[in-house]
Amino acid sequence: MTDMTTTPEGDHEDDQWERPSPRKATRRGGGDPAGRGRTTIADGVVEKIAGLAARDVVGVHTMGSGLARTFGAVRDRVPGGSKSVTRGVKAEVGEVQTALDLEIVVDYGVSIADVARAVRENVIAAVERMTSLEVVEVNIAVSDVKLPEEEDEEPEPRIQ
């Protein structure tokens, strides 16, 4: 049986214990938690981001040289193979900066200078936004122009 003794004020004996105050968050290790440790970004990650951003620009028909596109088309036809978004993109990634080389094929009739400018802007914006790396340069090589009457370079299937 519990003895409930009252004090002259009418409070219960249990109320003599103070409620614990909320604990203040303590930082261990000092400094901002975001600054503890390193984040590394692989070249392939930057290449994928840049490849997708470049392909979004109107006037870019495809990426890569003729030989790379031919091998890519063969690889795309292999069951289980997937389109390579990094085709035509080479990245060099440092700790805080990156540099990119792109090889593109443009559609006939578009201003190559305007397409190159738009590709640079789109690639820089996407890479910097997603990786927080500073893009120091984006070099663009236009390796071909896609003429309206040209067929896309798809190899003939060997098996009918």
Side-chain angles (χ1 to χ4, degrees), residues 92-114:
E92 293 180 30
V93 180
E95 288 188 27
V96 294
Q97 295 179 326
T98 187
L100 294 150
D101 294 321
L102 306 176
E103 189 170 0
I104 65 173
V105 175
V106 297
D107 292 321
Y108 176 79
V110 300
S111 166
I112 293 174
D114 290 346

Side-chain angles (χ1 to χ4, degrees), residues 107-153:
D107 292 321
Y108 176 79
V110 300
S111 166
I112 293 174
D114 290 346
V115 170
R117 184 178 309 108
V119 167
R120 258 189 207 93
E121 290 173 357
N122 209 30
V123 166
I124 290 170
V127 170
E128 288 185 347
R129 178 178 50 82
M130 293 180 70
T131 66
S132 296
L133 293 169
E134 177 190 3
V135 178
V136 292
E137 66 181 6
V138 177
N139 299 311
I140 298 173
V142 179
S143 62
D144 202 358
V145 173
K146 170 68 171 78
L147 301 175
E149 64 272 2
E150 284 182 335
E151 291 183 26
D152 284 333
E153 293 179 14

